[in-house]
Amino acid sequence: MTNCFAAGAMKRGHGWIAYYRRVHDAENRVLRDGRHDIIFATEAEALKAANSEFLKYLNSPITGISSMGGSNKSVVKKAADRLFKKGGGTIEVERRRIEA
């Protein structure tokens, strides 16, 4: 198997199961209802469910630092701008000399 996006259906003895594959997982994710695979009567139903679940995954929000606005430096800058440029309160800062 190659590492690529995919969605499809597989024949099982008593019906069809639906799956989708994400690039970074390198394994198929079978649609399940709790602990059990969802069994579809026809291949078309299974494919429709697999494609729907796959598109739901693709359209979900991206998580991580990039979703907060880029690098850590830019995230901190945006937070500081919100605080100081939009009427945020004054923060008293005390500096102490570190004695070696």
Side-chain angles (χ1 to χ4, degrees):
M1 254 184 209
T2 60
N3 240 8
C4 61
F5 288 115
M10 284 190 249
K11 178 75 171 147
R12 293 292 184 236
H14 49 285
W16 294 83
I17 61 170
Y19 70 89
Y20 67 98
R21 181 180 181 83
R22 303 184 308 183
V23 169
H24 54 277
D25 283 343
E27 64 183 40
N28 293 340
R29 293 181 159 264
V30 176
L31 275 58
R32 307 189 99 184
D33 181 20
R35 295 178 50 202
H36 304 286
D37 296 345
I38 299 173
I39 305 297
F40 297 92
T42 66
E43 182 180 13
E45 290 175 2
L47 282 172
K48 184 177 178 181
N51 287 329
S52 175
E53 205 57 35
F54 180 64
L55 288 175
K56 189 186 308 181
Y57 160 72
L58 286 179
N59 291 322
S60 65
I62 298 172
T63 58
I65 193 95
S66 62
S67 67
M68 293 185 288
S71 68
N72 193 27
K73 184 177 178 181
S74 68
V75 170
V76 171
K77 183 177 180 332
K78 285 180 184 178
D81 288 347
R82 273 195 311 272
L83 180 64
F84 294 112
K85 290 184 178 178
K86 295 188 177 173
T90 303
I91 300 174
E92 296 294 326
V93 178
E94 179 181 337
R95 295 187 186 259
R96 293 186 180 180
R97 181 178 212 144
I98 299 174
E99 305 210 12

mmCIF file of all heavy atoms in Angstrom, residues 6-36:
data_model
loop_
_atom_site.group_PDB
_atom_site.id
_atom_site.type_symbol
_atom_site.label_atom_id
_atom_site.label_comp_id
_atom_site.label_asym_id
_atom_site.label_seq_id
_atom_site.Cartn_x
_atom_site.Cartn_y
_atom_site.Cartn_z
ATOM 1 N N ALA A 6 -7.305 8.109 0.310
ATOM 2 C CA ALA A 6 -8.194 7.182 -0.399
ATOM 3 C C ALA A 6 -9.485 7.017 0.389
ATOM 4 O O ALA A 6 -9.535 7.299 1.581
ATOM 5 C CB ALA A 6 -7.517 5.828 -0.584
ATOM 6 N N ALA A 7 -10.512 6.563 -0.291
ATOM 7 C CA ALA A 7 -11.779 6.192 0.347
ATOM 8 C C ALA A 7 -12.362 5.080 -0.500
ATOM 9 O O ALA A 7 -12.227 5.080 -1.723
ATOM 10 C CB ALA A 7 -12.727 7.382 0.414
ATOM 11 N N GLY A 8 -12.995 4.125 0.149
ATOM 12 C CA GLY A 8 -13.537 3.026 -0.629
ATOM 13 C C GLY A 8 -14.382 2.082 0.194
ATOM 14 O O GLY A 8 -14.720 2.362 1.338
ATOM 15 N N ALA A 9 -14.694 0.947 -0.430
ATOM 16 C CA ALA A 9 -15.519 -0.076 0.208
ATOM 17 C C ALA A 9 -14.870 -1.435 -0.016
ATOM 18 O O ALA A 9 -14.219 -1.665 -1.032
ATOM 19 C CB ALA A 9 -16.916 -0.063 -0.394
ATOM 20 N N MET A 10 -15.035 -2.319 0.964
ATOM 21 C CA MET A 10 -14.514 -3.684 0.856
ATOM 22 C C MET A 10 -15.644 -4.671 1.121
ATOM 23 O O MET A 10 -16.440 -4.460 2.024
ATOM 24 C CB MET A 10 -13.410 -3.916 1.889
ATOM 25 C CG MET A 10 -12.100 -3.298 1.549
ATOM 26 S SD MET A 10 -10.834 -3.903 2.680
ATOM 27 C CE MET A 10 -10.511 -2.418 3.600
ATOM 28 N N LYS A 11 -15.658 -5.729 0.337
ATOM 29 C CA LYS A 11 -16.674 -6.775 0.493
ATOM 30 C C LYS A 11 -16.322 -7.638 1.692
ATOM 31 O O LYS A 11 -15.194 -8.067 1.856
ATOM 32 C CB LYS A 11 -16.736 -7.627 -0.785
ATOM 33 C CG LYS A 11 -17.712 -8.772 -0.727
ATOM 34 C CD LYS A 11 -19.118 -8.283 -0.855
ATOM 35 C CE LYS A 11 -20.044 -9.481 -1.021
ATOM 36 N NZ LYS A 11 -21.329 -9.281 -0.432
ATOM 37 N N ARG A 12 -17.300 -7.839 2.536
ATOM 38 C CA ARG A 12 -17.187 -8.778 3.653
ATOM 39 C C ARG A 12 -18.258 -9.839 3.447
ATOM 40 O O ARG A 12 -19.160 -9.670 2.630
ATOM 41 C CB ARG A 12 -17.367 -8.064 4.995
ATOM 42 C CG ARG A 12 -16.245 -7.109 5.319
ATOM 43 C CD ARG A 12 -14.974 -7.916 5.560
ATOM 44 N NE ARG A 12 -13.869 -7.061 5.960
ATOM 45 C CZ ARG A 12 -12.729 -7.019 5.315
ATOM 46 N NH1 ARG A 12 -12.547 -7.727 4.231
ATOM 47 N NH2 ARG A 12 -11.752 -6.252 5.746
ATOM 48 N N GLY A 13 -18.197 -10.907 4.172
ATOM 49 C CA GLY A 13 -19.115 -12.024 3.972
ATOM 50 C C GLY A 13 -20.580 -11.644 3.999
ATOM 51 O O GLY A 13 -21.385 -12.177 3.243
ATOM 52 N N HIS A 14 -20.970 -10.712 4.804
ATOM 53 C CA HIS A 14 -22.390 -10.384 4.961
ATOM 54 C C HIS A 14 -22.730 -8.952 4.556
ATOM 55 O O HIS A 14 -23.752 -8.430 4.932
ATOM 56 C CB HIS A 14 -22.811 -10.640 6.408
ATOM 57 C CG HIS A 14 -21.885 -10.031 7.417
ATOM 58 N ND1 HIS A 14 -20.655 -10.572 7.705
ATOM 59 C CD2 HIS A 14 -22.005 -8.940 8.180
ATOM 60 C CE1 HIS A 14 -20.047 -9.825 8.613
ATOM 61 N NE2 HIS A 14 -20.845 -8.828 8.919
ATOM 62 N N GLY A 15 -21.852 -8.298 3.809
ATOM 63 C CA GLY A 15 -22.124 -6.933 3.355
ATOM 64 C C GLY A 15 -20.842 -6.212 2.969
ATOM 65 O O GLY A 15 -19.836 -6.832 2.641
ATOM 66 N N TRP A 16 -20.897 -4.900 3.002
ATOM 67 C CA TRP A 16 -19.772 -4.049 2.627
ATOM 68 C C TRP A 16 -19.377 -3.166 3.802
ATOM 69 O O TRP A 16 -20.237 -2.684 4.530
ATOM 70 C CB TRP A 16 -20.153 -3.157 1.448
ATOM 71 C CG TRP A 16 -20.411 -3.911 0.194
ATOM 72 C CD1 TRP A 16 -21.565 -4.541 -0.173
ATOM 73 C CD2 TRP A 16 -19.487 -4.135 -0.858
ATOM 74 N NE1 TRP A 16 -21.419 -5.142 -1.388
ATOM 75 C CE2 TRP A 16 -20.153 -4.899 -1.838
ATOM 76 C CE3 TRP A 16 -18.174 -3.754 -1.082
ATOM 77 C CZ2 TRP A 16 -19.533 -5.295 -3.026
ATOM 78 C CZ3 TRP A 16 -17.558 -4.143 -2.254
ATOM 79 C CH2 TRP A 16 -18.227 -4.906 -3.218
ATOM 80 N N ILE A 17 -18.070 -2.946 3.969
ATOM 81 C CA ILE A 17 -17.608 -1.971 4.957
ATOM 82 C C ILE A 17 -16.999 -0.790 4.213
ATOM 83 O O ILE A 17 -16.530 -0.929 3.073
ATOM 84 C CB ILE A 17 -16.575 -2.563 5.953
ATOM 85 C CG1 ILE A 17 -15.328 -3.051 5.231
ATOM 86 C CG2 ILE A 17 -17.203 -3.649 6.800
ATOM 87 C CD1 ILE A 17 -14.188 -3.406 6.164
ATOM 88 N N ALA A 18 -17.028 0.370 4.835
ATOM 89 C CA ALA A 18 -16.482 1.590 4.236
ATOM 90 C C ALA A 18 -15.206 1.978 4.977
ATOM 91 O O ALA A 18 -15.078 1.746 6.175
ATOM 92 C CB ALA A 18 -17.508 2.714 4.334
ATOM 93 N N TYR A 19 -14.259 2.566 4.241
ATOM 94 C CA TYR A 19 -13.013 3.019 4.861
ATOM 95 C C TYR A 19 -12.527 4.285 4.182
ATOM 96 O O TYR A 19 -12.922 4.608 3.063
ATOM 97 C CB TYR A 19 -11.935 1.936 4.771
ATOM 98 C CG TYR A 19 -11.421 1.719 3.361
ATOM 99 C CD1 TYR A 19 -10.346 2.455 2.865
ATOM 100 C CD2 TYR A 19 -12.024 0.801 2.522
ATOM 101 C CE1 TYR A 19 -9.893 2.276 1.582
ATOM 102 C CE2 TYR A 19 -11.581 0.615 1.234
ATOM 103 C CZ TYR A 19 -10.500 1.356 0.764
ATOM 104 O OH TYR A 19 -10.066 1.179 -0.520
ATOM 105 N N TYR A 20 -11.665 5.005 4.867
ATOM 106 C CA TYR A 20 -10.922 6.096 4.251
ATOM 107 C C TYR A 20 -9.510 6.062 4.802
ATOM 108 O O TYR A 20 -9.235 5.457 5.825
ATOM 109 C CB TYR A 20 -11.590 7.466 4.455
ATOM 110 C CG TYR A 20 -11.614 7.970 5.877
ATOM 111 C CD1 TYR A 20 -10.666 8.880 6.320
ATOM 112 C CD2 TYR A 20 -12.597 7.561 6.768
ATOM 113 C CE1 TYR A 20 -10.687 9.346 7.632
ATOM 114 C CE2 TYR A 20 -12.629 8.025 8.056
ATOM 115 C CZ TYR A 20 -11.667 8.920 8.482
ATOM 116 O OH TYR A 20 -11.691 9.389 9.769
ATOM 117 N N ARG A 21 -8.597 6.669 4.084
ATOM 118 C CA ARG A 21 -7.185 6.608 4.434
ATOM 119 C C ARG A 21 -6.599 8.008 4.431
ATOM 120 O O ARG A 21 -6.790 8.761 3.484
ATOM 121 C CB ARG A 21 -6.475 5.731 3.406
ATOM 122 C CG ARG A 21 -5.011 5.547 3.638
ATOM 123 C CD ARG A 21 -4.460 4.651 2.510
ATOM 124 N NE ARG A 21 -3.069 4.400 2.677
ATOM 125 C CZ ARG A 21 -2.568 3.453 3.457
ATOM 126 N NH1 ARG A 21 -3.376 2.673 4.126
ATOM 127 N NH2 ARG A 21 -1.272 3.282 3.545
ATOM 128 N N ARG A 22 -5.894 8.340 5.519
ATOM 129 C CA ARG A 22 -5.198 9.620 5.609
ATOM 130 C C ARG A 22 -3.715 9.376 5.355
ATOM 131 O O ARG A 22 -3.189 8.329 5.730
ATOM 132 C CB ARG A 22 -5.397 10.236 6.987
ATOM 133 C CG ARG A 22 -6.862 10.412 7.321
ATOM 134 C CD ARG A 22 -7.126 11.091 8.618
ATOM 135 N NE ARG A 22 -6.431 10.501 9.755
ATOM 136 C CZ ARG A 22 -6.580 10.910 11.002
ATOM 137 N NH1 ARG A 22 -7.393 11.902 11.272
ATOM 138 N NH2 ARG A 22 -5.920 10.344 11.974
ATOM 139 N N VAL A 23 -3.051 10.314 4.735
ATOM 140 C CA VAL A 23 -1.653 10.141 4.353
ATOM 141 C C VAL A 23 -0.769 9.846 5.558
ATOM 142 O O VAL A 23 0.060 8.953 5.540
ATOM 143 C CB VAL A 23 -1.135 11.400 3.616
ATOM 144 C CG1 VAL A 23 0.369 11.359 3.459
ATOM 145 C CG2 VAL A 23 -1.797 11.517 2.263
ATOM 146 N N HIS A 24 -0.942 10.575 6.644
ATOM 147 C CA HIS A 24 -0.027 10.451 7.777
ATOM 148 C C HIS A 24 -0.317 9.242 8.665
ATOM 149 O O HIS A 24 0.473 8.928 9.532
ATOM 150 C CB HIS A 24 -0.024 11.727 8.608
ATOM 151 C CG HIS A 24 -1.383 12.152 9.046
ATOM 152 N ND1 HIS A 24 -2.222 12.873 8.222
ATOM 153 C CD2 HIS A 24 -2.056 11.946 10.190
ATOM 154 C CE1 HIS A 24 -3.349 13.093 8.865
ATOM 155 N NE2 HIS A 24 -3.272 12.541 10.056
ATOM 156 N N ASP A 25 -1.426 8.547 8.470
ATOM 157 C CA ASP A 25 -1.730 7.366 9.277
ATOM 158 C C ASP A 25 -1.151 6.084 8.684
ATOM 159 O O ASP A 25 -0.804 5.162 9.412
ATOM 160 C CB ASP A 25 -3.244 7.153 9.394
ATOM 161 C CG ASP A 25 -3.874 8.092 10.378
ATOM 162 O OD1 ASP A 25 -3.149 8.667 11.196
ATOM 163 O OD2 ASP A 25 -5.096 8.246 10.329
ATOM 164 N N ALA A 26 -1.090 5.998 7.371
ATOM 165 C CA ALA A 26 -0.608 4.818 6.654
ATOM 166 C C ALA A 26 -1.445 3.574 6.954
ATOM 167 O O ALA A 26 -0.938 2.462 6.930
ATOM 168 C CB ALA A 26 0.867 4.567 6.959
ATOM 169 N N GLU A 27 -2.713 3.764 7.297
ATOM 170 C CA GLU A 27 -3.619 2.627 7.476
ATOM 171 C C GLU A 27 -5.049 3.075 7.208
ATOM 172 O O GLU A 27 -5.382 4.246 7.340
ATOM 173 C CB GLU A 27 -3.505 2.029 8.864
ATOM 174 C CG GLU A 27 -3.924 2.956 9.985
ATOM 175 C CD GLU A 27 -3.731 2.349 11.360
ATOM 176 O OE1 GLU A 27 -2.715 1.683 11.573
ATOM 177 O OE2 GLU A 27 -4.600 2.551 12.210
ATOM 178 N N ASN A 28 -5.883 2.121 6.835
ATOM 179 C CA ASN A 28 -7.285 2.437 6.564
ATOM 180 C C ASN A 28 -8.043 2.646 7.868
ATOM 181 O O ASN A 28 -7.827 1.934 8.838
ATOM 182 C CB ASN A 28 -7.941 1.300 5.784
ATOM 183 C CG ASN A 28 -7.380 1.160 4.400
ATOM 184 O OD1 ASN A 28 -6.792 2.087 3.868
ATOM 185 N ND2 ASN A 28 -7.537 -0.004 3.810
ATOM 186 N N ARG A 29 -8.942 3.624 7.876
ATOM 187 C CA ARG A 29 -9.826 3.860 9.017
ATOM 188 C C ARG A 29 -11.211 3.370 8.616
ATOM 189 O O ARG A 29 -11.869 3.974 7.773
ATOM 190 C CB ARG A 29 -9.885 5.339 9.367
ATOM 191 C CG ARG A 29 -8.577 5.858 9.893
ATOM 192 C CD ARG A 29 -8.733 7.339 10.227
ATOM 193 N NE ARG A 29 -7.710 7.706 11.160
ATOM 194 C CZ ARG A 29 -7.860 7.760 12.482
ATOM 195 N NH1 ARG A 29 -9.022 7.498 13.010
ATOM 196 N NH2 ARG A 29 -6.866 8.097 13.263
ATOM 197 N N VAL A 30 -11.630 2.278 9.194
ATOM 198 C CA VAL A 30 -12.934 1.682 8.883
ATOM 199 C C VAL A 30 -14.008 2.426 9.677
ATOM 200 O O VAL A 30 -13.817 2.741 10.850
ATOM 201 C CB VAL A 30 -12.935 0.178 9.241
ATOM 202 C CG1 VAL A 30 -14.306 -0.433 9.015
ATOM 203 C CG2 VAL A 30 -11.872 -0.560 8.429
ATOM 204 N N LEU A 31 -15.123 2.729 9.026
ATOM 205 C CA LEU A 31 -16.229 3.394 9.713
ATOM 206 C C LEU A 31 -16.825 2.425 10.716
ATOM 207 O O LEU A 31 -17.137 1.282 10.371
ATOM 208 C CB LEU A 31 -17.294 3.836 8.709
ATOM 209 C CG LEU A 31 -17.061 5.195 8.031
ATOM 210 C CD1 LEU A 31 -15.772 5.258 7.289
ATOM 211 C CD2 LEU A 31 -18.222 5.548 7.178
ATOM 212 N N ARG A 32 -16.944 2.888 11.954
ATOM 213 C CA ARG A 32 -17.395 2.017 13.032
ATOM 214 C C ARG A 32 -18.496 2.691 13.834
ATOM 215 O O ARG A 32 -18.570 3.899 13.903
ATOM 216 C CB ARG A 32 -16.232 1.701 13.963
ATOM 217 C CG ARG A 32 -15.029 1.153 13.219
ATOM 218 C CD ARG A 32 -14.017 0.652 14.145
ATOM 219 N NE ARG A 32 -14.255 -0.796 14.154
ATOM 220 C CZ ARG A 32 -13.626 -1.641 14.899
ATOM 221 N NH1 ARG A 32 -12.738 -1.238 15.738
ATOM 222 N NH2 ARG A 32 -13.889 -2.921 14.832
ATOM 223 N N ASP A 33 -19.301 1.858 14.440
ATOM 224 C CA ASP A 33 -20.328 2.299 15.370
ATOM 225 C C ASP A 33 -19.902 1.759 16.732
ATOM 226 O O ASP A 33 -20.233 0.627 17.085
ATOM 227 C CB ASP A 33 -21.690 1.761 14.953
ATOM 228 C CG ASP A 33 -22.805 2.218 15.874
ATOM 229 O OD1 ASP A 33 -22.614 3.216 16.589
ATOM 230 O OD2 ASP A 33 -23.859 1.557 15.884
ATOM 231 N N GLY A 34 -19.130 2.559 17.452
ATOM 232 C CA GLY A 34 -18.573 2.071 18.705
ATOM 233 C C GLY A 34 -17.454 1.088 18.427
ATOM 234 O O GLY A 34 -16.470 1.412 17.784
ATOM 235 N N ARG A 35 -17.632 -0.163 18.844
ATOM 236 C CA ARG A 35 -16.600 -1.177 18.675
ATOM 237 C C ARG A 35 -16.767 -2.019 17.424
ATOM 238 O O ARG A 35 -15.906 -2.817 17.081
ATOM 239 C CB ARG A 35 -16.603 -2.097 19.890
ATOM 240 C CG ARG A 35 -16.207 -1.389 21.161
ATOM 241 C CD ARG A 35 -16.255 -2.292 22.367
ATOM 242 N NE ARG A 35 -15.535 -3.535 22.109
ATOM 243 C CZ ARG A 35 -15.745 -4.659 22.769
ATOM 244 N NH1 ARG A 35 -16.671 -4.714 23.701
ATOM 245 N NH2 ARG A 35 -15.046 -5.738 22.503
ATOM 246 N N HIS A 36 -17.879 -1.862 16.699
ATOM 247 C CA HIS A 36 -18.189 -2.736 15.567
ATOM 248 C C HIS A 36 -18.175 -1.971 14.248
ATOM 249 O O HIS A 36 -18.589 -0.818 14.181
ATOM 250 C CB HIS A 36 -19.560 -3.391 15.763
ATOM 251 C CG HIS A 36 -19.654 -4.151 17.053
ATOM 252 N ND1 HIS A 36 -19.032 -5.363 17.243
ATOM 253 C CD2 HIS A 36 -20.278 -3.862 18.213
ATOM 254 C CE1 HIS A 36 -19.265 -5.787 18.462
ATOM 255 N NE2 HIS A 36 -20.031 -4.890 19.086
#
